[in-house]
PDB file of all heavy atoms in Angstrom:
ATOM      1  N   ALA A  25     253.152 126.712  87.200  1.00 87.00           N
ATOM      2  CA  ALA A  25     253.565 125.230  87.145  1.00 87.00           C
ATOM      3  C   ALA A  25     254.732 125.127  86.181  1.00 87.00           C
ATOM      4  O   ALA A  25     255.623 124.241  86.466  1.00 87.00           O
ATOM      5  CB  ALA A  25     252.320 124.422  86.660  1.00 87.00           C
ATOM      6  N   PHE A  45     279.859 113.582  87.454  1.00 94.00           N
ATOM      7  CA  PHE A  45     281.340 113.740  87.669  1.00 94.00           C
ATOM      8  C   PHE A  45     281.743 112.996  88.915  1.00 94.00           C
ATOM      9  O   PHE A  45     282.894 112.455  88.927  1.00 94.00           O
ATOM     10  CB  PHE A  45     281.625 115.301  87.792  1.00 94.00           C
ATOM     11  CG  PHE A  45     281.783 116.025  86.511  1.00 94.00           C
ATOM     12  CD1 PHE A  45     280.774 116.844  86.071  1.00 94.00           C
ATOM     13  CD2 PHE A  45     282.912 115.862  85.826  1.00 94.00           C
ATOM     14  CE1 PHE A  45     280.910 117.540  84.816  1.00 94.00           C
ATOM     15  CE2 PHE A  45     283.062 116.477  84.521  1.00 94.00           C
ATOM     16  CZ  PHE A  45     282.103 117.362  84.063  1.00 94.00           C
ATOM     17  N   ILE A  71     311.171  91.263  90.089  1.00 79.00           N
ATOM     18  CA  ILE A  71     312.425  91.250  90.758  1.00 79.00           C
ATOM     19  C   ILE A  71     312.754  89.916  91.376  1.00 79.00           C
ATOM     20  O   ILE A  71     313.778  89.344  91.257  1.00 79.00           O
ATOM     21  CB  ILE A  71     312.421  92.335  91.890  1.00 79.00           C
ATOM     22  CG1 ILE A  71     312.371  93.671  91.205  1.00 79.00           C
ATOM     23  CG2 ILE A  71     313.696  92.214  92.685  1.00 79.00           C
ATOM     24  CD1 ILE A  71     312.203  94.855  92.191  1.00 79.00           C
ATOM     25  N   PHE A 113     307.936 100.417  71.011  1.00 72.00           N
ATOM     26  CA  PHE A 113     308.337 101.706  71.197  1.00 72.00           C
ATOM     27  C   PHE A 113     309.887 101.798  71.247  1.00 72.00           C
ATOM     28  O   PHE A 113     310.557 102.789  71.334  1.00 72.00           O
ATOM     29  CB  PHE A 113     307.772 102.496  72.337  1.00 72.00           C
ATOM     30  CG  PHE A 113     306.373 102.559  72.285  1.00 72.00           C
ATOM     31  CD1 PHE A 113     305.509 101.684  72.979  1.00 72.00           C
ATOM     32  CD2 PHE A 113     305.674 103.555  71.575  1.00 72.00           C
ATOM     33  CE1 PHE A 113     304.211 101.686  72.939  1.00 72.00           C
ATOM     34  CE2 PHE A 113     304.244 103.590  71.454  1.00 72.00           C
ATOM     35  CZ  PHE A 113     303.495 102.737  72.191  1.00 72.00           C
ATOM     36  N   GLY A 151     295.859  92.114  71.397  1.00 68.00           N
ATOM     37  CA  GLY A 151     295.593  92.830  72.604  1.00 68.00           C
ATOM     38  C   GLY A 151     296.703  93.696  72.957  1.00 68.00           C
ATOM     39  O   GLY A 151     296.688  94.826  73.327  1.00 68.00           O
ATOM     40  N   VAL A 164     302.127 108.286  81.212  1.00 85.00           N
ATOM     41  CA  VAL A 164     301.740 107.011  81.941  1.00 85.00           C
ATOM     42  C   VAL A 164     302.555 107.027  83.230  1.00 85.00           C
ATOM     43  O   VAL A 164     303.747 107.409  83.303  1.00 85.00           O
ATOM     44  CB  VAL A 164     301.952 105.781  81.122  1.00 85.00           C
ATOM     45  CG1 VAL A 164     301.491 104.577  81.854  1.00 85.00           C
ATOM     46  CG2 VAL A 164     301.263 105.836  79.786  1.00 85.00           C
ATOM     47  N   LEU A 178     325.023  89.364  85.168  1.00 47.00           N
ATOM     48  CA  LEU A 178     324.166  90.214  84.138  1.00 47.00           C
ATOM     49  C   LEU A 178     325.100  90.415  83.015  1.00 47.00           C
ATOM     50  O   LEU A 178     325.876  91.415  83.063  1.00 47.00           O
ATOM     51  CB  LEU A 178     323.704  91.495  84.782  1.00 47.00           C
ATOM     52  CG  LEU A 178     322.499  91.305  85.707  1.00 47.00           C
ATOM     53  CD1 LEU A 178     322.106  92.658  86.366  1.00 47.00           C
ATOM     54  CD2 LEU A 178     321.233  90.834  85.004  1.00 47.00           C
ATOM     55  N   ALA A 261     249.149 124.963 104.077  1.00 83.00           N
ATOM     56  CA  ALA A 261     249.142 126.459 103.902  1.00 83.00           C
ATOM     57  C   ALA A 261     247.925 126.908 103.117  1.00 83.00           C
ATOM     58  O   ALA A 261     247.376 127.997 103.401  1.00 83.00           O
ATOM     59  CB  ALA A 261     250.427 127.008 103.401  1.00 83.00           C
ATOM     60  N   VAL A 262     247.583 126.135 102.154  1.00 83.00           N
ATOM     61  CA  VAL A 262     246.365 126.430 101.245  1.00 83.00           C
ATOM     62  C   VAL A 262     245.133 126.435 102.116  1.00 83.00           C
ATOM     63  O   VAL A 262     244.272 127.417 101.984  1.00 83.00           O
ATOM     64  CB  VAL A 262     246.323 125.530 100.053  1.00 83.00           C
ATOM     65  CG1 VAL A 262     245.112 125.814  99.212  1.00 83.00           C
ATOM     66  CG2 VAL A 262     247.584 125.567  99.190  1.00 83.00           C
ATOM     67  N   VAL A 413     232.226 163.337 138.890  1.00 92.00           N
ATOM     68  CA  VAL A 413     233.343 163.064 138.021  1.00 92.00           C
ATOM     69  C   VAL A 413     234.537 162.706 138.986  1.00 92.00           C
ATOM     70  O   VAL A 413     234.937 163.586 139.751  1.00 92.00           O
ATOM     71  CB  VAL A 413     233.677 164.055 136.953  1.00 92.00           C
ATOM     72  CG1 VAL A 413     234.901 163.759 136.205  1.00 92.00           C
ATOM     73  CG2 VAL A 413     232.476 164.356 136.121  1.00 92.00           C
ATOM     74  N   GLU A 420     250.010 152.145 136.127  1.00 86.00           N
ATOM     75  CA  GLU A 420     250.350 152.793 134.871  1.00 86.00           C
ATOM     76  C   GLU A 420     249.170 153.289 134.160  1.00 86.00           C
ATOM     77  O   GLU A 420     249.218 153.687 132.882  1.00 86.00           O
ATOM     78  CB  GLU A 420     251.210 151.865 133.976  1.00 86.00           C
ATOM     79  CG  GLU A 420     252.453 151.382 134.591  1.00 86.00           C
ATOM     80  CD  GLU A 420     253.130 150.438 133.663  1.00 86.00           C
ATOM     81  OE1 GLU A 420     252.629 150.084 132.579  1.00 86.00           O
ATOM     82  OE2 GLU A 420     254.293 150.044 133.918  1.00 86.00           O
ATOM     83  N   ALA A 470     238.061 155.938 122.669  1.00 90.00           N
ATOM     84  CA  ALA A 470     238.849 155.237 123.713  1.00 90.00           C
ATOM     85  C   ALA A 470     239.566 154.056 123.052  1.00 90.00           C
ATOM     86  O   ALA A 470     240.772 153.879 123.486  1.00 90.00           O
ATOM     87  CB  ALA A 470     237.897 154.623 124.765  1.00 90.00           C
ATOM     88  N   SER A 492     239.510 153.998 131.085  1.00 92.00           N
ATOM     89  CA  SER A 492     240.738 153.679 131.555  1.00 92.00           C
ATOM     90  C   SER A 492     241.753 153.904 130.339  1.00 92.00           C
ATOM     91  O   SER A 492     241.566 153.345 129.234  1.00 92.00           O
ATOM     92  CB  SER A 492     240.932 152.239 131.972  1.00 92.00           C
ATOM     93  OG  SER A 492     242.205 151.815 132.403  1.00 92.00           O
TER      94      SER A 492
END
Side-chain angles (χ1 to χ4, degrees):
F45 275 107
I71 293 174
F113 301 100
V164 182
L178 283 176
V262 177
V413 178
E420 298 180 355
S492 177

